[in-house]
Amino acid sequence: MLEKIKNDAVIAVTELLETAKLQAGDLLVIGCSSSEMVGEKIGTHSSVDAANALADAVLPLLKEKGVHIAVQCCEHLNRALILESAVAEKYGYEPVNVMPQPKAGGSFATAVWQRLDAPVAVEHIRAHAGLDIGGTLIGMHLREVAVPVRLSVKHIGEAPILCARTRPKFIGGCRAVYDDSKL
């Protein structure tokens, strides 16, 4: 199962990075139910092993591309987000005082916290794209105009995934001219 999680995650994140046209410095939010990845109901069977497998698969890919990760915590931490302190500062996100744990924040948030150089938690972000693993409801953390992204993989482990990218709003009406590269 852990190898399946890693393989599925590499495919999903690689395709999402390409499809969403994420650039170095952009922010990707990931919400993850480790319970769902191992075939259980969200919030019932937190799996540190599954979370570690996912973190080991996705963090090197994002680092290579220069894309920043923000990991959504579970409802017990009000869906706070874990990211590098330098990224929080860059975007003007104010840190809050909490550290995720497998059953209060989630196993994936905990795994990423342990791997970041200077992790912090923040309450709100506006990410350029998102990956929802297992129905964690990441939409509140995306920029205002989210566009669904369909990938070749539909699950990571046993968890269904939903992905989105964001784009600037269209304004100006029928006479406006738009930049096709931002569609």
Side-chain angles (χ1 to χ4, degrees), residues 13 34 50 55 97 166:
V13 170
S34 62
N97 187 5
T166 62

Side-chain angles (χ1 to χ4, degrees), residues 105-162:
S107 291
F108 184 57
T110 303
V112 171
W113 177 279
Q114 293 167 346
R115 287 164 173 76
L116 295 181
D117 294 329
V120 295
V122 302
E123 289 186 285
H124 307 285
I125 65 167
R126 288 287 177 225
H128 299 90
L131 171 58
D132 185 324
I133 304 168
T136 62
L137 305 175
I138 61 164
M140 69 187 92
H141 301 303
L142 294 171
R143 290 179 172 208
E144 204 164 323
V145 182
V147 178
V149 173
R150 302 289 183 239
L151 305 178
S152 67
V153 293
K154 306 297 182 214
H155 293 82
I156 293 181
E158 297 298 315
I161 62 172
L162 291 173

